[in-house]
């Protein structure tokens, strides 16, 4: 007799559900809606109306963008969990969550309790009712009880936003749609409500600037930076010279390939983020801020250090276990590894 199969992890379940969603889309309509949304997001987005206007918009967005947003959110929340390994969110509110990528990512990082305890309460706030409706539909098929029981609430994402106290507040790919005043107010609302706040934006110079603004407001509100920065002091990157961002690998769907005219089965989603806690975390001693360069007998690591500076470290073959760890280290990872490699 075979043991019962375990339910799929949220990441696997989301991919399968979105694949079914794409199968039901007329390809031309999906491609046209997706192209329009891409142009809208890259241009000047109106702030007095939701970008996602109807179900066709939302389905196109979910099929095209949700996998990338999910992977970026999962990477950011994974770095947060690494910095605070003993902490789990007592509840989760996602501001501007749309179809729910961030709450799916959180469910993948912090699964439902195994002891039969009630799942954490999850709330998604968004001003686009079609996005909330599809998010609710997707979550109803999730393996996580926290997702299936989530509340999907319509709310304007602006200076009047009210967020009840909770464990985790996420603000994912939202700030770029808001006016500067509303951006500040939303970050302040998140800081006032959450024990932990994570903000994720596209990995562009503009996205990075919005992350730095949010980071400054969180530190001013008494938060400690848990990730990616190894300190809560000012970012050591000189303004205008570079920007801090990372990459998450995303499997391309058939819709991705159709819209982009691409042949590769994957792409890298570039993102910037900050995760901050009201309590003191255990951030990395340093974080790899560029793709490591592997050369003959050595690995070059560009690091942001807890000494509040950027530097390059060269790890050579002579360093044995550390060299082997460096070869396995990826862009965005802490350095040195949390657990020292065995000799």
């Amino acid at each position: 007799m075979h043991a019962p199969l375990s339910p799929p992890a949220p990441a696997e379940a989301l991919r399968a559900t979105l694949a079914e969603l794409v199968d039901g889309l007329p390809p031309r309509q999906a491609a046209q809606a997706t192209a329009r949304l891409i142009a809208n997001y890259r241009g000047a987005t109106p702030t007095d109306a939701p970008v996602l206007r109807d179900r066709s918009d939302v389905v196109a967005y979910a099929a095209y963008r949700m996998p990338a947003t999910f992977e970026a959110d999962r990477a950011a929340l994974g770095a947060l969990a690494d910095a605070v390994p003993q902490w789990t969110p007592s509840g989760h509110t996602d501001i501007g969550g749309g179809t729910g990528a961030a709450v799916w990512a959180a469910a993948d990082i912090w699964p439902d309790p195994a002891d039969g305890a009630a799942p954490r309460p999850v709330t998604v706030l968004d001003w686009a009712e079609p996005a909330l409706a599809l998010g609710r539909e997707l979550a109803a098929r999730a393996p996580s009880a926290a997702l299936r029981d989530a509340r999907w609430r319509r709310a304007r994402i602006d200076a009047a936003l009210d967020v009840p106290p909770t464990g985790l507040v996420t603000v994912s790919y939202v700030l770029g749609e808001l006016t500067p005043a509303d951006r500040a107010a939303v970050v302040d609302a998140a800081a006032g409500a959450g024990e932990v706040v994570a903000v994720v934006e596209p990995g562009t110079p503009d996205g990075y600037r919005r992350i730095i603004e949010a980071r400054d407001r969180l530190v001013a509100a008494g938060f400690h930076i848990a990730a990616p920065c190894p300190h809560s002091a000012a970012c050591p990157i000189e303004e205008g010279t570079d920007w801090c961002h990372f990459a998450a690998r995303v499997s391309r769907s058939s819709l991705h390939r159709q819209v982009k005219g691409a042949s590769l089965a994957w792409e890298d989603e570039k993102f910037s983020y900050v995760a901050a806690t009201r309590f003191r975390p255990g951030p990395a001693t340093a974080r790899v801020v560029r793709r490591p360069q592997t050369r003959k007998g050595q690995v070059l690591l560009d690091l942001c250090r807890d000494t509040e500076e950027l530097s390059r470290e060269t790890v050579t073959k002579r360093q044995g276990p550390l060299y082997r760890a460096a070869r396995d280290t990826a862009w965005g990872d802490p350095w040195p590894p949390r657990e020292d490699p065995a000799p």
Side-chain angles (χ1 to χ4, degrees):
M1 182 175 179
H2 294 292
L5 294 175
S6 299
E12 180 186 343
L14 179 60
R15 281 192 290 269
T17 304
L18 288 174
E20 293 177 19
L21 197 67
V22 174
D23 284 343
L25 284 175
R28 186 172 180 179
Q29 178 187 356
Q32 288 174 343
T34 303
R36 183 184 65 75
L37 289 171
I38 292 170
N40 202 341
Y41 276 111
R42 288 177 179 170
T45 303
T47 57
D48 58 352
V51 174
L52 304 176
R53 302 175 305 190
D54 54 32
R55 183 175 174 87
S56 64
D57 276 359
V58 174
V59 169
Y61 167 81
Y64 185 80
R65 280 298 305 161
M66 195 175 176
T69 306
F70 168 83
E71 293 295 352
D73 289 341
R74 184 168 65 163
L77 294 178
L80 165 64
D82 187 54
V84 289
Q86 305 307 316
W87 178 86
T88 57
S90 57
H92 180 190
T93 296
D94 186 26
I95 297 175
T99 54
V103 294
W104 279 81
D108 208 48
I109 299 297
W110 296 285
D112 293 336
D115 58 4
R120 63 180 171 273
V122 172
T123 301
V124 180
L125 306 176
D126 201 273
W127 62 357
E129 183 57 43
L132 293 169
L134 185 62
R136 191 181 296 114
E137 181 183 326
L138 295 172
R141 302 166 66 180
S144 162
L147 289 175
R148 294 194 301 272
D149 295 344
R151 294 180 300 167
W152 302 78
R153 201 181 87 197
R154 190 172 187 183
R156 288 189 64 88
I157 311 303
D158 59 16
L161 181 68
D162 178 41
V163 185
T166 189
L168 172 66
V169 178
T170 50
V171 187
S172 171
Y173 287 75
V174 174
L175 298 182
E177 299 178 29
L178 306 179
T179 64
D182 284 346
R183 284 202 297 267
V186 165
V187 173
D188 289 348
E195 184 181 24
V196 172
V197 176
V199 185
V200 185
E201 282 287 298
T204 62
D206 284 344
Y208 164 70
R209 280 192 286 272
R210 292 190 291 271
I211 289 296
I212 288 297
E213 291 171 4
R215 183 185 188 278
D216 289 346
R217 298 194 78 85
L218 290 169
V219 171
F223 280 73
H224 306 278
I225 303 303
C229 323
H231 58 80
S232 298
C235 177
I237 296 175
E238 185 179 345
E239 185 175 356
T241 63
D242 202 352
W243 69 99
C244 183
H245 65 289
F246 304 93
R249 183 60 52 90
V250 184
S251 297
R252 279 178 172 157
S253 67
S254 58
L255 179 59
H256 278 85
R257 294 193 289 271
Q258 179 184 355
V259 171
K260 290 195 168 183
S263 58
L264 289 177
W266 55 268
E267 66 182 16
D268 284 335
E269 171 69 8
K270 306 292 177 60
F271 66 98
S272 295
Y273 77 99
V274 63
T277 59
R278 286 197 171 277
F279 53 89
R280 194 168 292 280
T285 303
R287 180 138 342 240
V288 180
V289 293
R290 286 191 178 281
R291 200 179 301 278
Q293 299 179 46
T294 302
R295 299 178 180 174
K296 187 175 181 180
Q298 60 182 17
V299 180
L300 277 57
L301 301 176
D302 289 299
L303 303 171
C304 180
R305 296 186 178 276
D306 59 3
T307 51
E308 305 171 20
E309 62 183 350
L310 300 170
S311 68
R312 172 170 286 184
E313 180 172 333
T314 301
V315 184
T316 68
K317 199 170 185 178
R318 294 183 198 175
Q319 292 172 272
L322 199 63
Y323 172 70
R324 291 192 290 274
R327 287 192 305 177
D328 292 335
T329 294
W331 182 11
D333 283 353
W335 182 259
R338 291 285 185 183
E339 295 182 5
D340 292 330

